[in-house]
Amino acid sequence: MPQDLHLKDHHSELRLFRNRMLVALVGVAVLLGVLVARFYNLQVVNYDDYRTQSDENRIQVRPVPPTRGLIYDRNGTLLADNRPSYNLSIVHERVQDMDATLELIGRLIQLDDADVQKFRQRMQRRRPFEPIPLRFRLSEEEIARISVNEFRLPGVSVEAELVRYYPLEKLFAHSVGYVGRINERELGRFTEEDVRRYRGTQSIGKVGLERSYEDRLLGEVGYENVETNARGRVLRVLERHDPKPGQSLTLNLDARLQKVATETLGDNRGSVVAIDVKTGGVLAFVSKPSFDPNLFVTGISFQDYRALSDSLDVPLFNRALQGQYPAGSTLKPMMALGGLADGVVDAEYTVNDPGYYVLPNDDRRYRDWKRWGHGKNVDLIQAITESCDVYFYDMAARWNIDQMHDVATRFGLGAKTGIDLPVERPGLFPSREWKRGARGLPWFPGDSLNAVLGQGFVLATPLQLAVMTATIANRGTHYRPQVVKAVGGREQPPEILHHVEARPEHWDLVFKGMEQVVYNIRGTGKAVGKGLDFKVAGKTGTAQVVGIAQGERYDSEALKERHRDHALFVAFAPLDDPQIAVSVLVENGEHSSEVAQPVAREVFRDWMSRPLEETADAGNTDSNGEGTRG
């Protein structure tokens, strides 16, 4: 055995091995400690944060829009419904390339530039992970195409939505109105509370009752937590809080009466307003021509809107509420009552009518509509019956214009009626103060002569004329006109604005004059009473559209159709116990007996032929609730 061979030092090797093992164990322990600490940090310390982030990838909170309240007429006929519609929506966060996605969708279904532009506008005001509608009212074929290509369209989904539908279309467009998509201007006026309330809702009331009762019809938004996959598809609903539906409206309007008035008005431009004399409830509210409100619900096309807005007949214009027309001789019964109350005339007062009237120290002749006049000793009843202008010229010449203005105001002229519809116009009944402020001129006696006949500066809406007539019919109770009868099943009581005070014999004189308008052989409203088994009281009117030079006669043939006189008629029925008041205006209709009175007659005929229970608000029923009116 060699001498230089050294024996192994097992103790040293064992000690080295133990040191290395110790270092390794310490290293493993440290690493395990770090791992445990990290696990602890993830699973305990930051558990809530990371769970929330995980849930945000898996669970989405989606708003659930409320069902909009329905609208019914007084007899339960549905005027505004909600119908399902399938819309194409996109969640922006789920789409990697929006332009490519839109291009692909455009190859699958019809998608025009307007759809894309509106989509990008909506995308600017969206909430995170909120579906943004791109196309509304998809057809079954379009739904199928999207479904087949679903794997190519992450973030794209077809969603069901209830949208507004108006089953009677044009019939109630100017009263019920319509909803439309929320635009940028409306969104800019939203408060934070409004933003919350309209989450998930794309529409808002634009005109009519849909606008004025928006808060009641809208309801309250709900929400649901849904689980989604990586492509944004909903797997299941984890939690749901149901929305609160909007309140339904029951109207005073009567669908059958509305249809009768609309059809009898025919192709004429004009308006018909019928009011319940005993409550102020609006029974009919017609403006023609009209339009189909369904066109606006999901966004009207440019072509359709241009056809409506460029039409010379202006179908979007609400003539009953916003049309301001000279009231003409329809004001004479009201003026007669005011003249009696102020002592300007009495039952025995008469005038001589040669066909014109001349003011003292004035050479101008104020013509009567009847060129040869109404003869001698024309009293108040004859003046109303035959619509004698000279009698009222004489009354106005001896009457203070401010007193005349006060009478008109008490009957609802020259100010908004307060009806529960938006954008009403006030009309105008002038006064000294008004003329000096508006024209910078004093009041002249000739102005009073024009005003007493509803001409000159005087303007009134068909609604105001109906309110005036209803106030006469119930002998001075001035009600606020109401379209809505009940909200959410809770009736709205009639609202009395004030009472017009007059002596009973004065009311009797005016009633007699309005009765003779219809039933006297010389009355100007004979056409309205034909074929009715109850009595009607009324007053005709003619409103000049263009002026006629002194000494010239009105020549219909020499004027363009739209420059001819408007035909007006106001009336109430039945005479012995008034229930319903009506105003009819036909633009450029000229002859009330031909175009306006037949409309009023058919409205009266329909309403008074109803079973008593159908018109309970308009009159008293007998003990067993049976029978018919009239």
Side-chain angles (χ1 to χ4, degrees), residues 170 289-292 295-296 300-317:
K170 295 182 179 182
S290 188
F291 60 94
D292 184 358
L295 295 173
F296 290 86
I300 189 170
S301 69
F302 175 77
Q303 293 79 4
D304 288 338
Y305 185 76
R306 185 171 62 180
L308 292 173
S309 61
D310 291 350
S311 172
L312 290 177
D313 293 333
V314 201
L316 296 176
F317 181 57

Side-chain angles (χ1 to χ4, degrees), residues 391-455:
Y391 184 96
F392 287 92
Y393 286 149
D394 179 77
M395 182 172 69
R398 297 182 294 107
W399 201 3
N400 185 294
I401 180 57
D402 293 322
Q403 290 178 301
M404 197 186 304
H405 174 268
D406 182 59
V407 170
T409 301
R410 282 182 282 160
F411 279 88
L413 300 182
K416 295 180 180 181
T417 66
I419 191 173
D420 47 348
L421 287 172
V423 296
E424 179 185 9
R425 288 188 177 179
L428 171 65
F429 199 93
S431 64
R432 295 180 193 275
E433 182 181 359
W434 172 84
K435 189 179 180 187
R436 188 169 295 280
R439 302 297 176 89
L441 294 172
W443 189 264
F444 300 115
D447 295 331
S448 294
L449 271 59
N450 284 327
V452 79
L453 298 189
Q455 298 283 358

Side-chain angles (χ1 to χ4, degrees), residues 329 332 351-353 368-369 373-375 378-379 382-393 453 539:
S329 294
K332 286 177 178 175
V351 301
N352 295 326
D353 178 13
D368 194 293
W369 71 268
H374 294 85
V378 178
D379 63 9
Q382 184 183 354
I384 296 175
T385 302
E386 301 180 28
S387 199
C388 175
D389 294 338
V390 169
Y391 184 96
F392 287 92
Y393 286 149
L453 298 189
K539 185 68 191 78

Side-chain angles (χ1 to χ4, degrees), residues 206-217:
K206 298 288 187 176
V207 299
L209 295 174
E210 293 280 23
R211 174 176 170 180
S212 56
Y213 283 83
E214 171 69 17
D215 288 343
R216 305 290 190 88
L217 292 166

Side-chain angles (χ1 to χ4, degrees), residues 120-137:
R120 294 191 184 279
Q121 291 174 351
R122 296 185 192 106
M123 197 162 57
Q124 300 302 317
R125 58 176 188 257
R126 67 182 177 82
R127 285 172 172 265
F129 291 94
E130 183 176 39
I132 309 165
L134 173 62
R135 260 286 312 277
F136 300 95
R137 294 186 176 178

Side-chain angles (χ1 to χ4, degrees), residues 43 54 56-57 63 75 84 135 166 180 185 211 285 301 307 334 344 346 382 410 466-467 483 545 554 585 598:
Q43 299 292 333
S54 175
E56 285 180 352
N57 292 328
N75 297 312
R135 260 286 312 277
Y166 304 98
R185 182 173 45 122
R211 174 176 170 180
F285 192 88
S301 69
M334 178 195 71
V344 183
D346 57 32
Q382 184 183 354
R410 282 182 282 160
V467 171
V483 179
V545 177
Y554 176 81
L585 177 137

Side-chain angles (χ1 to χ4, degrees), residues 356-369:
Y356 59 88
Y357 181 82
V358 179
L359 286 166
N361 303 318
D362 189 352
D363 294 334
R364 177 177 177 179
R365 291 186 172 185
Y366 291 85
R367 295 186 302 267
D368 194 293
W369 71 268

